[in-house]
Amino acid sequence: MKILMFGWEYPPHIYGGLATANFGITEGLHAQGDMDITLCLPRPFGDEDQTSAKIIAMNAVPVVWREVGYDEVKAKVGHIMEPEHYFNLRNHLYADFNYLHTDELGCMEFVGGYPQNLHEEINNYSIIAGVVAREQQFDIIHAHDWLTFPAGIHAKQVSGKPLCIHVHATDFDRSRGKVNPTVYAIEKNGMDQADSIMCVSELTRQTVIRHYHQDPAKCFTTHNAVYPLRQELADIPRPNHASREKIVTFLGRITMQKGPEYFVEAANLVLHRTRNVRFCMAGSGDMMNQMIYLAAERGIADRFHFPGFMKGREVYECLKNSDVYVMPSVSEPFGISPLEAMQCGTPSIISKQSGCAEILNNCIKVDYWDIHAIADAIYSICHNSALFDFLQKEGRKEVAQITWEKVGEKIKDIYLRTIRKSTYH
């Protein structure tokens, strides 16, 4: 089966959870043995993590005809695309886009990530998708999150092939209900046009059905997973839990969706009962300064650390160095980070308002707003070594069973059902 997949970010260039999920899904599908995946990315760098997909660099796909030679193409985009592929794509131009800003190869630039002109980049990406969809051969389209939904729709219109969209989050999750009407419109249009909608949790599936008015029969719950730790990460030592100050960690975007203020307030309650605990809020986001001020107002700044954004090995060193991991998200479509913490042997406290709570049992689940319950759970794990040992051991065991290969198997099944249904119609 040939899949044309539209993604936005990919390891090692990680801006959020979407990159990790996109990698896991791609590899999980490849493990099924008969999957030929072409993955479109706005701005790959040529150093993408070992992947089983063939990557198309959308910033190297021409939308305007330019008379250029082989050597010129190779010098400009040879590190991310074979020059022969560029010329083949050029033969599939479908409209006059001379009014757009393009480079000497007739391609559009992308900043990558989530820049100020994000909506312009989303639109450009969907224009380029029209060239790619005319040039590629595929059986089904898979578009990840709202950023790529317009590209997926365009590819469907061009090819007549069925479209599966993957909802990793909705604007209801990101905005705590203060929905951006432009983003909502893009999300809803993607869902309306999709033949199948994959949702990272039942929580997200219900949001899609209720708030976007989608047919439940075409909405599927497809939980995320986690990859086994690479050996060099598994080898990072854990300090002895019993013989030191305890460290409690929040790791993620410091934004309204992630509930950072509940972490600070729970920390304050814990520190009224014991001083043998330090709190780490790793990450960056628009609420970071607010959280620094809140910790100072509560008189706990001396027990609080804000190390900033972490990536790669730093994340795992931070998790291994922690005695407790807390994810107090207000609305978390899935949440891969607790799985990563549990892999590292760090007991986790997660909000009941998270998708991963649907599949995890060996962790402590609380309502995000219940700071007393969060504080009690933190205090118990820090001071009850039997509880710590149980959650550490059973958590590791549980997460080892949650694999991307199983996710790939489920997605393949959804593909087959979608293709059969569209052929039948």
Side-chain angles (χ1 to χ4, degrees):
M1 189 190 306
K2 293 182 186 292
I3 302 119
L4 179 61
M5 189 177 284
F6 292 104
W8 197 258
E9 52 173 290
Y10 208 76
H13 306 281
I14 295 173
Y15 305 94
L18 191 56
T20 309
N22 198 170
F23 177 76
I25 288 161
T26 305
E27 297 299 294
L29 280 168
H30 176 72
Q32 305 313 305
D34 54 354
M35 295 282 156
D36 183 354
I37 305 160
T38 298
L39 173 62
C40 302
L41 294 171
R43 190 189 171 190
F45 292 81
D47 64 344
E48 275 60 38
D49 282 5
Q50 185 69 42
T51 181
S52 313
K54 181 181 78 182
I55 292 178
I56 291 183
M58 300 295 260
N59 60 336
V61 175
V63 291
V64 173
W65 186 283
R66 294 275 192 262
E67 286 297 341
V68 286
Y70 183 94
D71 291 340
E72 192 180 342
V73 174
K74 188 171 183 182
K76 185 87 168 41
V77 298
H79 64 298
I80 50 174
M81 181 185 280
E82 292 295 330
E84 291 84 359
H85 195 191
Y86 166 87
F87 291 111
N88 202 31
L89 285 159
R90 193 180 64 173
N91 291 334
H92 291 82
L93 297 180
Y94 63 93
D96 181 3
F97 290 113
N98 273 297
Y99 65 91
L100 292 170
H101 179 69
T102 57
D103 63 15
E104 61 270 32
L105 298 186
C107 305
M108 287 193 271
E109 291 291 336
F110 285 90
V111 176
Y114 303 91
Q116 288 290 306
N117 66 333
L118 182 59
H119 287 278
E120 184 188 336
E121 295 217 336
I122 291 167
N123 186 54
N124 291 346
Y125 186 88
S126 71
I127 289 169
I128 300 163
V131 178
V132 174
R134 283 167 171 82
E135 189 253 352
Q136 290 287 309
Q137 297 293 313
F138 51 93
D139 302 302
I140 197 160
I141 304 153
H142 187 157
H144 289 283
D145 243 15
W146 69 281
L147 308 139
T148 74
F149 290 173
I153 292 168
H154 193 173
K156 178 182 175 175
Q157 289 166 342
V158 166
S159 65
K161 300 295 183 184
L163 168 64
C164 286
I165 64 168
H166 211 123
V167 181
H168 295 269
T170 69
D171 211 53
F172 281 88
D173 302 302
R174 288 183 290 267
S175 66
R176 248 196 227 180
K178 297 192 180 81
V179 176
N180 179 324
T182 308
V183 176
Y184 177 86
I186 294 171
E187 290 177 330
K188 175 128 179 28
N189 192 37
M191 294 174 195
D192 290 345
Q193 300 293 325
D195 297 278
S196 291
I197 302 172
M198 291 182 251
C199 308
V200 293
S201 61
E202 183 58 27
L203 187 78
T204 304
R205 181 173 174 270
Q206 291 303 325
T207 300
V208 165
I209 293 165
R210 280 200 311 272
H211 294 297
Y212 295 84
H213 316 295
Q214 297 303 309
D215 177 3
K218 75 172 189 179
C219 302
F220 302 90
T221 299
T222 314
H223 292 109
N224 283 332
V226 69
Y227 256 106
L229 285 180
R230 296 197 311 273
Q231 196 55 50
E232 68 266 27
L233 300 177
D235 290 343
I236 297 170
R238 278 192 69 89
N240 186 339
H241 171 70
S243 62
R244 60 176 194 134
E245 278 190 319
K246 304 298 184 277
I247 296 174
V248 179
T249 296
F250 168 111
L251 194 152
R253 284 180 293 115
I254 306 175
T255 61
M256 187 167 59
Q257 182 193 349
K258 303 294 182 180
E261 68 271 36
Y262 301 105
F263 180 73
V264 178
E265 296 292 11
N268 183 41
L269 293 174
V270 171
L271 290 167
H272 278 122
R273 294 162 73 177
T274 178
R275 297 298 285 180
N276 192 34
V277 185
R278 288 190 177 276
F279 291 85
C280 170
M281 184 171 271
S284 57
D286 59 8
M287 286 180 72
M288 186 167 176
N289 285 344
Q290 203 180 320
M291 292 306 101
I292 293 169
Y293 286 125
L294 182 59
E297 276 172 25
R298 296 289 177 267
I300 57 173
D302 61 320
R303 311 302 293 174
F304 239 92
H305 302 267
F306 293 89
F309 181 75
M310 290 182 171
K311 61 181 182 179
R313 186 183 171 89
E314 287 177 314
V315 170
Y316 293 94
E317 287 173 343
C318 178
L319 292 174
K320 288 249 184 156
N321 204 34
S322 304
D323 298 276
V324 186
Y325 177 75
V326 184
M327 186 183 78
S329 297
V330 174
S331 180
E332 186 70 54
F334 185 76
I336 289 177
S337 58
L339 280 72
E340 294 171 331
M342 289 160 75
Q343 266 188 327
C344 291
T346 305
S348 294
I349 301 166
I350 63 175
S351 77
K352 291 176 183 174
Q353 291 73 25
S354 62
C356 62
E358 296 166 13
I359 60 167
L360 291 175
N361 295 309
N362 292 292
C363 60
I364 295 178
K365 303 174 196 180
V366 294
D367 288 305
Y368 72 86
W369 44 262
D370 194 342
I371 57 173
H372 292 277
I374 297 171
D376 285 345
I378 291 170
Y379 186 87
S380 298
I381 296 170
C382 286
H383 291 86
N384 182 336
S385 57
L387 178 61
F388 176 90
D389 292 342
F390 175 83
L391 291 173
Q392 181 179 64
K393 182 181 160 202
E394 296 302 320
R396 267 186 175 142
K397 212 186 291 182
E398 181 176 32
V399 169
Q401 302 304 310
I402 302 170
T403 67
W404 284 114
E405 284 72 22
K406 290 176 184 172
V407 177
E409 197 178 329
K410 183 157 190 184
I411 291 174
K412 179 185 174 181
D413 182 53
I414 293 168
Y415 285 166
L416 290 169
R417 287 163 72 167
T418 307
I419 291 168
R420 274 199 301 270
K421 193 175 162 192
S422 68
T423 308
Y424 178 75
H425 285 308

